[in-house]
């Protein structure tokens, strides 16, 4: 399930801008393959960050994630150099995804979509050879 759609792009950027950047054959409609490539690129970027903290695929798309993917796709569509406000949106989305991956931002997702947090009843165990230095072996040296 894609995180954003052509309608989301049009809602954010307006029909005129989307036609300028996605109507490559100049027939008056956005080219589906151009729009799909931009949206897939945005999904791939988002998934790279999401997989650090969430089980994929997500069952539903949070509005916040949709907003970030629209900004990324919009930036990608401007192949001849995006305007400053598009670059600002893209940078903000990229930084927000990085912050989300680091745990500074939580997405509002269903409980089952989040992996268990370390320490939620699972102990960490290390298996290996007996240590060369232990408290007992160093008795008298400490």
């Amino acid at each position: 399930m894609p995180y954003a759609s052509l309608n989301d792009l049009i809602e954010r950027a307006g029909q005129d801008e989307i036609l300028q950047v996605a109507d490559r054959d100049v027939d008056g409609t956005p080219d589906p393959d151009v729009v799909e490539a931009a949206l897939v690129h945005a999904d791939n970027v988002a998934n790279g960050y999401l997989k650090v903290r969430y089980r994929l695929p997500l069952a539903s798309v949070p509005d916040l994630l949709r907003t970030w993917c629209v900004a990324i796709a919009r930036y990608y569509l401007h192949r001849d150099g995006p305007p400053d406000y598009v670059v600002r949106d893209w940078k903000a989305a990229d930084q927000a995804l990085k912050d989300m991956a680091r745990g500074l931002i939580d997405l509002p997702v269903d409980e089952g979509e989040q992996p268990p947090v370390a320490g939620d009843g699972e102990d960490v165990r290390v298996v290996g050879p007996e240590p060369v230095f232990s408290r007992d072996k160093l008795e008298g040296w400490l």
Side-chain angles (χ1 to χ4, degrees):
M1 161 179 45
Y3 298 136
S5 67
L6 172 60
N7 288 336
D8 296 324
L9 283 167
I10 291 172
E11 183 180 309
R12 174 70 176 135
Q15 181 77 25
D16 291 341
E17 179 182 325
I18 298 304
L19 283 174
Q20 288 173 356
V21 296
D23 182 14
R24 308 268 166 90
D25 60 5
V26 195
D27 66 353
T29 61
D31 297 347
D33 56 332
V34 172
V35 172
E36 181 181 358
L39 293 172
V40 166
H41 175 73
D43 285 0
N44 290 337
V45 170
N47 282 336
Y49 291 110
L50 285 168
K51 71 179 182 177
V52 173
R53 297 197 45 223
Y54 299 94
R55 289 193 180 108
L56 299 177
L58 297 176
S60 61
V61 181
D63 288 336
L64 190 55
L65 178 58
R66 182 175 293 110
T67 301
W68 296 337
C69 286
V70 165
I72 294 167
R74 187 177 177 199
Y75 176 84
Y76 184 71
L77 283 170
H78 283 271
R79 65 181 178 172
D80 295 328
D84 290 342
Y85 56 89
V86 172
V87 173
R88 260 192 323 272
D89 284 352
W90 169 74
K91 284 182 178 180
D94 188 59
Q95 185 59 51
L97 283 165
K98 288 176 183 175
D99 289 345
M100 183 270 312
R102 289 189 345 228
L104 300 176
I105 297 174
D106 283 329
L107 287 178
V109 295
D110 295 334
E111 187 66 32
E113 293 178 345
Q114 292 185 355
V117 178
D120 284 352
E122 295 182 22
D123 292 334
V124 176
R125 297 176 190 258
V126 178
V127 178
E130 186 176 324
V132 175
F133 300 104
S134 68
R135 184 174 301 278
D136 294 334
K137 291 181 180 177
L138 291 174
E139 190 173 322
W141 289 92
L142 296 177

